Amino acid sequence: MTASTATSGRVATGGHPQRWLILGVICLAQLTVLLDNTVLSVAIPSLTTELHASTSDIQWMINAYSLVQSGLLLTAGNAADRYGRKKLLAVGLALFGIGSLTAGLAGSTGQLIAARAGMGIGGALLMTTTLAVVMQIFDDSQRVKAIAIWATIGSLGFAAGPLIGGVILDHYWWGMIFLINIPVAVIGLAAVLKLVPESKNPKGERPDPLGALLSTIGMTALVYAIITGPEHGWTSARVLIPAAIGIAVLGAFAAWELHIPYPMLDMHFFRNQKFVGAVAGAILVMLGMGGSLFLLTQHLQFVLGYEPLEAGLRMTPLALTIVVLNLSGVGPKLVMKIGTAPAVAGGLTLVAAGLTSIALLGGGTDGAYSGMLLGLVLMGAGIALTNPAMANAIMSAIPPEKAGVGAGINGTLAEFGNGLGVAILGAVLNARFAALVTVTATSLPAALAAASGTAERQKIADAFATGLQTSQLVGAVAVFVGGLLAAALLSRAERAERRAAAANGGANGAASGAANGSEPTGGSEDPVSAA
């Protein structure tokens, strides 16, 4: 087989002939996974009442899913590259469906937390394989547009969770927010087996079991420390010990990956400023969005008194803005026109402005929804601009045969940023709340229920609203400052790339003339079979 025909099932331009249909299939799988990041947030009052869940229980229900994904994404991406992305995508859908059934039938907080962790295993496989498949079936001419659609579906799943959860809870009990995943998983599995082409790393590199073990332990310990910090105190041994273990194990992971000939994660990626800038931006945008949504859904229900469906409807402008800007092509066109660095800087500035608007104009027990609406639209515009730019920057900095690992890195950053946002902004809220009122209850609803009268309940609600405002402002500052740093790194990397391209162009031109016009040899490409 010649180099020109090494990739079967593809056409000369555009990519795989069924690429758009395949994109729809994998986006359906991705949508299901990402909905479960936020759909649980509107069920907090129901879980607090029916399962007697404390604030710590609620955080674990939300973060157990993200924690397992964060720990396994790199391992899942490496396995997908080695054993086949289609196979791992199908396995992920099956595991996710089984985990959803278990979660829907859970009878206690412990069972639900365990089921959510199990769902995270399937979610890790799905998160890595969907983006990796996009990179394989689209060529350079349409890849940015495809990634924009992929990122839009991801953001839609993340932001639409409260609305979908509200609709379900308006008619059914909380378990249905998980059981609804089962038919979607079944349809997605059938479509994947029928349509998605198989692809894997043609080099057949050896597995890295020690690297997989170290990365999983390190990420799990570090995220555990972040999640439990607000509950136990950031200087307590129960937080510092797992944090130290996580940092030490991740350091050992980095040293091991630099030592072996077939690393699971090539640490030299981090010498690429474009990659590092995109990594910083990915964490920051998810920090702002994840933490904000976690707090806003509670504010809408606990402080302003909206029902789950009403709260979900008031969160939809965020998702609608992302969908309109990216599906209309405005987002990807703007990214391609102005470049990655300006897109990240402008997008994260919009996210910071949105958080500020929500804090100053939409906060408090008497805050106007117009201020919150403005903030949600600004955040949506920023996310629509930033996410495709960052995903494309990360994936383009990684060789095609490592697409699964690249997708694992991208997914790890999203999950880590989300967990970090919930933990950090939640910690700021709790600290501010505790400074304003003294309560012994473990959750806001319990504190309101234990209040002796209307005046005390109002004082508690005001304290929570003040804490919310403070946490949103902290998030806004972090996103803005970090966004400028990420954009500076990306801009510097783009300038270096242009200089290298110009130098290589001159050298190639001289070599071409010396060879009497012979054509340069193209690089190898990760094969995609038509199976």
Side-chain angles (χ1 to χ4, degrees):
M1 182 180 293
T2 65
S4 61
T5 60
T7 304
S8 62
R10 299 178 77 153
V11 293
T13 59
H16 193 280
Q18 292 182 300
R19 57 193 177 278
W20 294 109
L21 181 59
I22 294 169
L23 179 63
V25 170
I26 61 179
C27 282
L28 175 66
Q30 182 199 14
L31 180 64
T32 307
V33 174
L34 290 170
L35 280 173
D36 271 78
N37 278 310
T38 54
V39 71
L40 194 63
S41 58
V42 293
I44 290 174
S46 300
L47 294 170
T48 301
T49 302
E50 297 181 29
L51 294 183
H52 308 290
S54 66
T55 299
S56 176
D57 292 330
I58 295 297
Q59 284 192 320
W60 273 110
M61 289 175 191
I62 294 172
N63 286 305
Y65 184 65
S66 300
L67 180 63
V68 172
Q69 279 191 344
S70 298
L72 292 178
L73 278 169
L74 286 178
T75 301
N78 182 261
D81 286 337
R82 177 172 174 79
Y83 300 110
R85 291 147 194 152
K86 176 179 180 176
K87 293 185 184 71
L88 272 295
L89 179 56
V91 171
L93 277 166
L95 290 176
F96 191 79
I98 294 171
S100 296
L101 176 63
T102 306
L105 301 178
S108 68
T109 57
Q111 291 175 7
L112 181 54
I113 291 169
R116 290 274 291 170
M119 291 171 66
I121 299 174
L125 293 171
L126 292 174
M127 289 290 290
T128 54
T129 49
T130 53
L131 182 54
V133 170
V134 170
M135 295 299 294
Q136 302 306 316
I137 63 176
F138 287 90
D139 68 6
D140 292 341
S141 65
Q142 294 183 330
R143 190 169 290 147
V144 173
K145 181 179 179 181
I147 290 177
I149 294 174
W150 174 89
T152 298
I153 297 300
S155 299
L156 175 63
F158 195 93
L163 174 61
I164 294 175
V167 172
I168 294 173
L169 291 173
D170 202 45
H171 297 88
Y172 306 100
W173 100 109
W174 62 264
M176 282 301 296
I177 64 178
F178 300 111
L179 298 181
I180 196 72
N181 294 334
I182 297 174
V184 178
V186 171
I187 294 171
L189 180 59
V192 164
L193 294 175
K194 176 70 175 177
L195 296 172
V196 175
E198 185 59 282
S199 65
K200 55 186 175 181
N201 186 350
K203 296 180 181 179
E205 295 178 351
R206 292 196 298 269
D208 179 18
L210 181 57
L213 179 64
L214 290 174
S215 69
T216 301
I217 293 174
M219 284 298 300
T220 302
L222 189 59
V223 176
Y224 173 86
I226 293 172
I227 291 172
T228 57
E231 178 184 359
H232 301 303
W234 293 104
T235 58
S236 69
R238 297 179 67 176
V239 174
L240 293 178
I241 291 175
I245 292 173
I247 293 171
V249 173
L250 288 177
F253 168 73
W256 172 253
E257 296 300 287
L258 287 169
H259 173 73
I260 61 174
Y262 297 102
M264 184 177 79
L265 173 61
D266 188 346
M267 300 307 295
H268 295 99
F269 290 155
F270 291 93
R271 295 180 180 176
N272 186 323
Q273 292 179 341
K274 182 178 181 180
F275 177 79
V276 173
V279 163
I283 292 176
L284 289 166
V285 73
M286 291 305 299
L287 184 152
M289 187 166 73
S292 177
L293 288 179
F294 172 69
L295 298 175
L296 278 176
T297 50
Q298 296 185 66
H299 181 253
L300 286 166
Q301 294 181 74
F302 294 153
V303 178
L304 300 183
Y306 292 116
E307 294 297 322
L309 177 57
E310 295 174 323
L313 285 171
R314 282 162 176 78
M315 296 292 292
T316 54
L318 174 64
L320 289 176
T321 303
I322 297 170
V323 170
V324 169
L325 290 179
N326 273 345
L327 294 189
S328 66
V330 173
K333 287 179 181 177
L334 192 55
V335 171
M336 296 179 71
K337 182 176 181 180
I338 68 176
T340 302
V344 170
L348 289 179
T349 298
L350 287 172
V351 172
L355 289 168
T356 302
S357 175
I358 292 170
L360 300 181
L361 303 178
T365 53
D366 56 351
Y369 177 69
S370 58
M372 186 176 291
L373 174 62
L374 174 61
L376 292 172
V377 171
L378 289 172
M379 287 181 65
I383 292 165
L385 189 60
T386 307
N387 272 356
M390 292 184 305
N392 188 58
I394 290 173
M395 298 303 290
S396 64
I398 292 175
E401 65 270 14
K402 295 284 190 179
V405 171
I409 294 171
N410 187 72
T412 298
L413 298 174
E415 295 299 331
F416 186 72
N418 178 48
L420 201 63
V422 171
I424 292 176
L425 298 191
V428 174
L429 167 62
N430 291 339
R432 183 63 175 153
F433 179 71
L436 294 173
V437 294
T438 302
V439 294
T440 58
T442 57
S443 66
L444 178 63
L448 292 172
S452 59
T454 303
E456 186 176 350
R457 282 193 293 271
Q458 185 63 43
K459 182 180 180 181
I460 292 172
D462 287 338
F464 182 85
T466 300
L468 176 69
Q469 288 177 303
T470 303
S471 62
Q472 300 284 18
L473 289 174
V474 169
V477 172
V479 168
F480 178 69
V481 174
L484 293 181
L485 176 60
L489 291 171
L490 288 167
S491 179
R492 186 175 176 182
E494 288 177 347
R495 290 195 300 270
E497 285 182 349
R498 286 194 292 268
R499 289 194 299 268
N504 290 335
N508 289 339
S512 177
N516 295 320
S518 60
E519 294 182 0
T521 301
S524 63
E525 188 173 9
D526 191 3
V528 181
S529 69

